[in-house]
Amino acid sequence: MLRGVAAIVVMLWHTLLAFRPSASGIFANGPADSLQTSLAFVLFNGLSAVYLFFVMSAFVLVKRYSGTRKMQDLLLGAAKRLPRLAGPVLLTVLASCALYRLDLYFFKQAGALSGSPWLAAFGYATPVLSPTTASFSDAFMQGAWRTFIFGDSYYDSSLWTMWFEFWGSLMTFALASFVFFLHDRSAVLSWCVVGISIILAWLVNFVLVAFPLGLSLHLLVAGKFRLNVWSRAFVVALSLALLGYGGNAVGVYRPLAVLDVDGFPVNMRQPCVAILASVMLVYAVLTIKNPPAWLSGKAAHILGDLSFPL
């Protein structure tokens, strides 16, 4: 269910950027005069929802292996990752190319009407194509592999996440064998490996930290510590509040001005807070002894299945 809700939040974020840009807090009016000042921003904070996706993805990818300890599960998962991701991505990119070729895109005109520079620039895609520059062969190559290997996403700029998803997935598969092998022998050593992987991921791209932390949820769940009802409610409430942080210490998020220190880059503030909050939220949900039907029932599964295509 969490994946489905996160996907809806991303959709609402894009809708906000396109049709109510002043409320997003990233344009001329600034965050102090936007939804970023309110806890309600958690409903629109698409970037935090993406980081939640990455954390959940790392956990789910090796869930089967955590139970079987069969190396073939990891190898099969790694081999299937690109084809599974590329299917819907390829369809999306080819559809976008067709709209370009048929001259059916009106994002420039729509962006001018709504006052959204994000929409007018096709989600800040680089380069912005035209009916003559869009190419089906180019779109096919992008959707089939370049989006994942190199991060190309100018047919659909929302697909910038696929580079992180692909390489983060492979890192998770590679890391899982070491972490679970060591955890069966020494929990301390397994946590040391997770810690080293976090440092290495940070050096490559700090967003990739979400994947070893997502994997570490298996270690947390395997532990004996469990939240009681009140502490769980507090963790859920706190994590949701932190997921509403847009990277700016405004409104209810003014206390997070403690992050405004020299040496801590501005672009890292939201990811760091959101990834930590995501781990907290997923752990709190995973350790519910008897989850309610709305959280694990048929409707929740359908919502989760719809998350990726959405």
Side-chain angles (χ1 to χ4, degrees):
M1 190 202 76
L2 283 179
R3 288 188 299 177
V5 172
I8 292 173
V9 170
V10 172
M11 181 183 70
L12 293 176
W13 171 238
H14 288 164
T15 304
L16 195 71
L17 289 174
F19 304 112
R20 189 69 187 281
S22 61
S24 69
I26 68 171
F27 299 113
N29 60 304
D33 187 25
S34 73
L35 286 175
Q36 287 196 31
T37 62
S38 168
L39 290 173
F41 193 59
V42 69
L43 300 175
F44 301 92
N45 198 349
L47 287 176
S48 288
V50 167
Y51 303 135
L52 175 59
F53 258 118
F54 292 157
V55 169
M56 289 188 292
S57 181
F59 176 82
V60 172
L61 283 173
V62 296
K63 187 176 181 180
R64 181 181 179 85
Y65 175 73
S66 69
T68 65
R69 295 296 201 272
K70 294 180 179 178
M71 185 60 67
Q72 65 192 46
D73 290 331
L74 287 181
L75 296 176
L76 183 60
K80 291 166 55 178
R81 196 58 180 154
L82 181 58
R84 292 190 67 176
L85 291 174
V89 168
L90 182 58
L91 290 175
T92 300
V93 170
L94 290 175
S96 180
C97 182
L99 290 172
Y100 266 122
R101 297 284 294 180
L102 295 170
D103 200 17
L104 292 177
Y105 267 134
F106 300 97
F107 52 84
K108 291 181 181 179
Q109 297 90 326
L113 288 172
S114 68
S116 170
W118 178 85
L119 180 57
F122 199 59
Y124 296 136
T126 304
V128 176
L129 301 173
S130 68
T132 56
T133 57
S135 162
F136 281 111
S137 61
D138 180 52
F140 180 85
M141 296 293 283
Q142 184 169 126
W145 63 276
R146 285 210 322 260
T147 292
F148 309 98
I149 305 302
F150 300 119
D152 292 351
S153 56
Y154 46 81
Y155 283 94
D156 181 353
S157 62
S158 301
L159 297 176
W160 66 269
T161 59
M162 290 297 103
W163 183 89
F164 292 98
E165 182 66 36
F166 177 68
W167 290 111
S169 297
L170 295 187
M171 178 175 65
T172 302
F173 285 125
L175 184 61
S177 59
F178 294 101
V179 169
F180 287 111
F181 174 81
L182 290 173
H183 186 262
D184 292 338
R185 292 154 179 79
S186 170
V188 174
L189 287 178
S190 65
W191 278 108
C192 288
V193 172
V194 170
I196 293 171
S197 67
I198 290 172
I199 295 172
L200 294 176
W202 183 284
L203 294 174
V204 176
N205 189 300
F206 56 90
V207 173
L208 289 172
V209 167
F211 290 90
L213 281 175
L215 175 62
S216 75
L217 282 164
H218 285 283
L219 307 184
L220 290 172
V221 172
K224 296 180 179 180
F225 175 77
R226 289 294 182 269
L227 300 168
N228 60 33
V229 174
W230 294 107
S231 59
R232 187 187 311 281
F234 173 78
V235 169
V236 169
L238 178 60
S239 60
L240 289 175
L242 292 175
L243 285 170
Y245 172 62
N248 299 289
V250 292
V252 296
Y253 294 103
R254 194 173 299 279
L256 290 179
V258 296
L259 300 177
D260 301 346
V261 295
D262 293 337
F264 192 25
V266 175
N267 64 331
M268 289 187 182
R269 293 169 189 169
Q270 182 182 2
C272 289
V273 171
I275 291 170
L276 176 61
S278 297
V279 172
M280 293 165 54
L281 179 61
V282 176
Y283 173 75
V285 172
L286 285 174
T287 54
I288 297 177
K289 190 173 182 179
N290 296 304
W294 60 268
L295 193 60
S296 60
K298 185 176 181 180
H301 281 287
I302 292 174
L303 190 59
D305 291 338
L306 288 174
S307 62
F308 188 69
L310 177 60

